[in-house]
Amino acid sequence: MGGPRPAQPAAGDGASNGPGNGPGGAGAAVILLAGPGSEVERTLVTRWLDEGDLRPSAVLPLDGPGLARSLDRAAPDTVITAARVAWLPRERGGERRVRWSDVLSQVNPRRPPAFWQTRIAHREPDRAQLVVAEPATVAALRERWGGTGSFAQFVSRQARLALDRSERALTGYRYKVPKDVAEAIEDSPGFRAGIARLAAQLGLSRADAMARARADLDSLVASMSPVAVDLLTGALRPLHAHAWDVQVDTAGLDRLRELNRRHALVFLPSHRSYADPLLLADVLAEHDFPRNHVLGGDNLRFWPIGPLAKRSGVVFIRRSFGDDEIYKFALREYLGYLLAKRFNLEWYMEGGRSRTGKLRPPRYGLLAYVAEAIAHGRAEDACLVPVAITYDQLREVSAMAAEQGGAAKKTEGLSWLASYARGQLARIGTVHVRFAEPLSLREALAPGGPDGDPAAWRLSLQKVAFEVAVRINRVTPVTATALVTLALLGVRDRALTLGQVRGVLEPLRAYLTERQLPHSGDLLRTDDGVRRVLGALAQQNVVTAYAGGEEPVYAIERGQHLVAAFYRNSAIHHFIDRAVAELVMLSEPADRLDEAMRLRDQLKFEFFFPDKASYRTELRAELDRLDPGWETEPDGRAVLERSSLRVASRVLRSFIDAQLVVAERLAARPPERPVEDKVFLDECAGVGQQMLLQGRLHGPESLSRELFASAVKLAANLNLIDPGGADLAGRRREFAAHLYEVVARLIIIDEIDALGRREAIGVEP
């Protein structure tokens, strides 16, 4: 009750955290609050009082008129504390968790019925622990009270919160759960003032506005319970526990734990799988972090997962709430309350799973609500934690690749969940969970907040979101799967022997090692390691192995290029600077840095780049690695021929090809004719297939609706989408011509690479 410092629990052995020696001094009166409880619980509390040093002047229920009367008569230095019995599950396998077998027995180990309490207290006394709240004086409580609502109810709520903190010393911080959230928000002066403003603005009575806000809060608030946390974790663990070995950045977690003592954390992970939140929840629980409040769309609010998920920390948010100002206000107040109380949040800024394997453009809505809560003083700060979750392999990639070809997304539901669970029963590799350097949201926001310069505010939010993405990419490891698919996709449909695959891989591994970039390429140092990765990909039908000749040869399975590209794309951000450096070496020396900045703008809807000054510095360093004399070297082709590594075509060709398809279709379109998104994307898919069959595109991985959609965003940014006149037709042709020139340079680099492979893999180009 006296603040965030947790009380030390007593276990019925006469121990006390000493309210008589706390606030108010040794001579102050003490009021002990205790729940009504059962006969067993009252006996344990009484025994603790008899055996201890605490002599309260009154023992009162946590609720009721007696507390209100006592508080009215109490002197300011009167000390308030509380005590209750915490019931723990039986220890099994070194853990005390509620299991589904407990549910089937209809006995809640954390709240057993009276008959079982007697049995437990007699046979397993270690499961009945007495916890005592941190004490506080009446004066201190009145100072913290907002002045609205009942003071007695406020004291009761504070007592429960203090008891919860003490109980977490027994159960662990993963069971830190908020209590009476909606009531606390509704009683706050800021909430009531905000409702009054909205009522006047919307022409509603205060009662109607408050009723709508209460209903919205009820739909939002995750009524967490330790039992639900245990049950949901146990129920969903099979969705990931059998499929992957989990490698965790424990050093990063240690830093975050220390930071969490001062600030709420907002975990912002990459999103490639339905398993992402389950894996992250398990990782945090195993390291005794409190359960995150996971913000997600209400499309997953289906029975029976939805109700249980809400009670274990999932905050279901409407997919769209447009101009519903009361809902926006309730959401903002709820998030601000959680941050102020240092409850951690988690959401996925990409708005959905990546269909291409690389990070998607971030969405700013939830970030804006959290930023507004901080700017308006609802919370002092929040530390954003970029998280990279990277998989060796994913079974759901095939379905996502099909969606890129135009297939409809399957609707989530119980039958979908059962099918997904069946697919997760066999092991398919490793998942890497890494935590990037956190950043303070308050420090990153524009001064003046949302009420200041709107343009500066929006720009600061965009910069924050992009910085999160940059930091995620920075710690995302290059998996062995990503390297193998990068190698095989780069030789188009040619099959390679094991030795030839290693010949293509070795320069990639050497580059990552030289740059000290995170990777698991050491697995690929031996024939056996490469064979294992190829075998795992073959088992998932991503790679085909032909063994009817002198030795096995490997290639991407027909129709699986988008799946292979998904794995490749999870890593190519580490090679982007190198790819751009190779492209600009085919420009005039004086134009190379300017050309790099043009390419940065061309690719900004596909990849996350640092600010322009930082990017220039990074690209200069990359050009220095390629050739220290790059600024004056007139023959860029010779530089590339001397290099042991060329990646531009392998890394960028599919993205540039998709842009080329969009540019061609725009150039062929009458300028006055509007562009309808779905119809135009269908057109690009159809014509793109024809261009592929004609050999004008490098491979099927460029025929992705998401890549086409990104190319349309680029064209819109260049003012090439909206209808116009003859000048628009000319600018569209110029756009297409520029892309033809970039593709021509990529083809040159690919030809140089093919010549270089003659020695590496022994195959004629």
Side-chain angles (χ1 to χ4, degrees):
M1 297 173 68
R5 181 165 55 91
Q8 295 301 312
D13 57 357
S16 166
N17 62 328
N21 297 319
V30 177
I31 296 176
L32 175 69
L33 305 182
S38 65
E39 184 63 35
V40 173
E41 291 171 333
R42 288 194 293 271
T43 298
L44 290 172
V45 172
T46 300
R47 183 187 303 164
W48 170 70
L49 287 171
D50 290 343
E51 296 175 354
D53 299 327
L54 180 62
R55 296 293 180 264
S57 56
V59 179
L60 301 173
L62 277 168
D63 296 300
L67 175 58
R69 289 194 297 268
S70 295
L71 291 172
D72 288 341
R73 297 193 300 265
D77 65 347
T78 299
V79 174
I80 310 294
T81 188
R84 74 175 179 216
V85 176
W87 298 93
L88 307 179
R90 180 177 293 131
E91 185 174 345
R92 288 172 287 200
E95 294 184 329
R96 292 186 182 271
R97 290 188 178 185
V98 177
R99 303 189 179 189
W100 283 98
S101 57
D102 298 317
V103 176
L104 295 175
S105 69
Q106 299 184 340
V107 175
N108 178 359
R110 298 190 185 277
R111 191 69 233 166
F115 168 76
W116 284 100
Q117 288 181 2
T118 303
R119 185 187 182 102
I120 291 169
H122 178 66
R123 297 185 178 182
E124 302 174 273
D126 62 305
R127 292 179 56 191
Q129 299 283 329
L130 194 114
V131 292
V132 184
E134 182 78 8
T137 64
V138 171
L141 289 165
R142 285 192 182 278
E143 186 177 345
R144 286 158 48 196
W145 176 42
T148 57
S150 164
F151 178 56
Q153 289 179 0
F154 171 80
V155 171
S156 176
R157 192 158 55 239
Q158 293 299 299
R160 287 191 175 89
L161 292 173
L163 286 169
D164 289 343
R165 285 194 292 269
S166 295
E167 188 168 331
R168 284 198 297 274
L170 289 173
T171 60
Y173 281 88
R174 65 186 176 194
Y175 295 116
K176 178 184 177 183
V177 297
K179 298 289 182 66
D180 305 319
V181 174
E183 294 83 354
I185 294 174
E186 291 169 18
D187 283 346
S188 68
F191 185 82
R192 292 177 178 270
I195 287 297
R197 286 194 302 271
L198 281 175
Q201 175 186 328
L202 300 174
L204 300 171
S205 69
R206 288 193 183 186
D208 286 345
M210 180 61 81
R212 284 176 55 181
R214 282 176 177 150
D216 289 339
L217 279 175
D218 286 342
S219 72
L220 287 167
V221 171
S223 52
M224 266 204 216
S225 81
V227 172
V229 170
D230 283 347
L231 293 178
L232 188 69
T233 301
L236 298 183
R237 185 171 284 117
L239 298 184
H240 64 85
H242 300 300
W244 300 283
D245 293 316
V246 183
Q247 293 188 2
V248 181
D249 171 19
T250 54
L253 279 173
D254 290 340
R255 293 192 298 269
L256 292 175
R257 184 180 294 103
E258 182 61 32
L259 187 61
N260 205 187
R261 299 181 191 279
R262 304 186 303 276
H263 301 293
L265 304 179
V266 177
F267 290 86
L268 299 173
S270 58
H271 197 16
R272 294 186 175 92
S273 170
Y274 286 112
D276 293 337
L278 311 179
L279 276 162
L280 184 56
D282 255 15
V283 165
L284 294 176
E286 287 172 4
H287 292 82
D288 203 26
F289 275 75
R291 174 79 172 180
N292 288 346
H293 283 72
V294 183
L295 314 183
D298 56 7
N299 59 309
L300 293 176
R301 202 173 192 157
F302 56 84
W303 186 90
I305 296 299
L308 187 58
K310 185 175 181 182
R311 290 184 59 79
S312 65
V314 178
V315 179
F316 290 111
I317 299 175
R318 295 183 202 164
R319 284 298 219 188
S320 174
F321 39 89
D323 297 326
D324 191 337
E325 297 300 326
I326 291 180
Y327 187 86
K328 293 179 184 178
F329 176 73
L331 176 59
R332 189 181 304 115
E333 289 292 302
Y334 179 40
L335 297 180
Y337 174 87
L338 292 174
L339 294 175
K341 302 298 182 183
R342 285 194 300 111
F343 287 102
N344 297 337
L345 303 181
E346 173 191 333
W347 75 82
Y348 295 79
M349 285 205 307
E350 297 166 84
R353 294 169 300 150
S354 170
R355 265 57 176 179
T356 62
K358 63 183 182 61
L359 290 180
R360 304 175 85 181
R363 297 186 179 182
Y364 307 106
L366 288 173
L367 181 64
Y369 284 112
V370 169
E372 287 170 13
I374 291 171
H376 291 149
R378 293 290 287 113
E380 179 185 344
D381 197 2
C383 290
L384 307 184
V385 182
V387 185
I389 305 177
T390 314
Y391 301 83
D392 280 349
Q393 289 194 48
L394 274 171
R395 288 194 176 85
E396 57 207 87
V397 173
S398 295
M400 290 190 287
E403 291 170 23
Q404 291 310 293
K409 178 179 180 290
K410 291 185 178 180
T411 303
E412 293 88 353
L414 199 54
S415 61
W416 163 86
L417 181 63
S419 175
Y420 182 82
R422 285 194 298 272
Q424 296 292 98
L425 294 179
R427 191 164 300 281
I428 55 174
T430 300
V431 56
H432 309 265
V433 182
R434 298 197 174 190
F435 303 92
E437 186 68 26
L439 66 155
S440 161
L441 185 53
R442 175 172 289 281
E443 292 177 5
L445 293 175
D451 302 323
D453 182 348
W457 176 255
R458 286 194 298 272
L459 181 60
S460 69
L461 288 177
Q462 292 173 5
K463 286 184 175 179
V464 167
F466 271 64
E467 181 60 24
V468 168
V470 167
R471 294 189 186 196
I472 289 175
N473 277 339
R474 194 173 294 148
V475 299
T476 298
V478 181
T479 66
T481 301
L483 283 176
V484 168
T485 50
L486 176 61
L488 292 179
L489 285 169
V491 296
R492 202 158 181 170
D493 293 327
R494 180 175 291 161
L496 303 180
T497 66
L498 184 65
Q500 290 166 350
V501 173
R502 288 196 62 192
V504 177
L505 287 173
E506 194 52 39
L508 296 170
R509 273 198 343 97
Y511 175 79
L512 293 171
T513 302
E514 177 193 355
R515 294 282 316 278
Q516 297 183 325
L517 297 171
H519 68 94
S520 54
D522 285 348
L523 176 64
L524 304 175
R525 296 178 65 179
T526 64
D527 284 353
D528 185 57
V530 176
R531 192 181 292 110
R532 281 169 53 195
V533 176
L534 288 167
L537 286 166
Q539 191 173 14
Q540 298 300 317
N541 299 317
V542 179
V543 165
T544 182
Y546 175 75
E550 294 179 332
E551 60 178 307
V553 291
Y554 304 88
I556 301 299
E557 179 74 56
R558 185 180 299 276
Q560 295 296 302
H561 288 74
L562 283 173
V563 175
F566 182 98
Y567 296 124
R568 177 201 66 184
N569 291 348
S570 69
I572 58 173
H573 58 274
H574 288 301
F575 297 96
I576 290 297
D577 287 355
R578 175 66 179 219
V580 171
E582 292 173 8
L583 274 173
V584 303
M585 283 305 299
L586 296 179
S587 305
E588 292 299 318
D591 296 336
R592 281 168 183 162
L593 279 181
D594 290 339
E595 175 64 13
M597 300 311 290
R598 285 192 289 271
L599 287 168
R600 177 185 183 275
D601 287 340
Q602 182 179 336
L603 296 167
K604 66 184 178 182
F605 291 98
E606 293 293 354
F607 303 102
F608 294 94
F609 296 98
D611 62 83
K612 291 184 178 181
S614 299
Y615 181 67
R616 279 182 177 271
T617 300
E618 291 179 6
L619 195 67
R620 277 183 170 275
E622 191 61 53
L623 285 164
D624 284 340
R625 278 188 286 270
L626 186 57
D627 188 297
W630 64 269
E631 290 186 89
T632 56
E633 171 61 63
D635 191 352
R637 177 168 185 139
V639 171
L640 298 179
E641 288 173 347
R642 290 195 299 268
S643 174
S644 62
L645 174 68
R646 290 159 295 269
V647 301
S649 182
R650 282 179 267 176
V651 168
L652 295 178
R653 183 68 189 272
S654 58
F655 302 97
I656 303 299
D657 275 356
Q659 291 179 353
L660 180 61
V661 173
V662 168
E664 277 206 4
R665 299 324 303 152
L666 288 173
R669 197 178 195 83
E672 69 277 2
R673 183 181 169 191
V675 174
E676 299 176 20
D677 284 350
K678 184 180 183 308
V679 174
F680 185 70
L681 291 178
D682 289 342
E683 177 185 337
C684 289
V687 175
Q689 181 65 38
Q690 175 187 329
M691 294 171 69
L692 177 67
L693 293 172
Q694 292 175 310
R696 297 171 60 199
L697 303 182
H698 180 267
E701 62 270 23
S702 60
L703 303 182
S704 160
R705 293 182 76 86
E706 192 149 325
L707 297 191
F708 291 146
S710 295
V712 169
K713 290 179 183 177
L714 171 64
N717 185 253
L718 297 171
N719 296 316
L720 299 176
I721 295 296
D722 292 338
D727 68 311
L728 175 63
R731 288 189 289 112
R732 285 176 172 177
R733 287 193 297 271
E734 289 175 3
F735 180 48
H738 166 70
L739 286 166
Y740 276 120
E741 193 273 331
V742 175
V743 168
R745 278 188 278 161
L746 289 172
I747 291 173
I748 291 172
I749 294 172
D750 191 38
E751 290 172 349
I752 295 172
D753 198 35
L755 290 171
R757 287 197 301 268
R758 295 176 67 177
E759 180 178 349
I761 64 177
V763 175
E764 293 292 333

